[in-house]
Amino acid sequence: LRSLGVSDSARAWCIAIGCAEVALGLLVLLAWRLRWPIWLVLGAMPISAIVVSLSAPDYVVAPFNPITLNVLVFAAAATVLM
């Protein structure tokens, strides 16, 4: 993050968001019968894809980029709700 010019306070936010993302993933795995975490994933994935596309466009053209990852996670979450 420092190589991208991210300040220490923004770095702390990135770490907090990453921890929240891990916690959501664990919640989906451990409480798989609950539907609200899946809806949260469905709402967060498009936002995440847009933020990454705008903030780091170089990553969008890389193999296994954040866009394809988010589309696949979105599709998997939508499948769970069917």
Side-chain angles (χ1 to χ4, degrees):
L1 292 173
R2 286 191 181 121
S3 67
L4 295 173
V6 176
S7 67
D8 286 338
S9 62
R11 184 174 177 266
W13 274 104
C14 289
I15 291 170
I17 291 169
C19 290
E21 192 172 355
V22 169
L24 178 60
L26 289 173
L27 181 64
V28 167
L29 284 174
L30 298 175
W32 56 271
R33 292 185 183 193
L34 296 176
R35 302 197 53 79
W36 68 266
I38 302 299
W39 285 107
L40 188 60
V41 168
L42 286 173
M45 287 302 101
I47 294 169
S48 174
I50 291 168
V51 168
V52 169
S53 297
L54 294 176
S55 64
D58 294 342
Y59 289 128
V60 175
V61 295
F64 305 106
N65 62 60
I67 302 301
T68 57
L69 173 67
N70 286 342
V71 167
L72 291 173
V73 170
F74 185 90
T79 302
V80 169
L81 292 176
M82 292 180 157

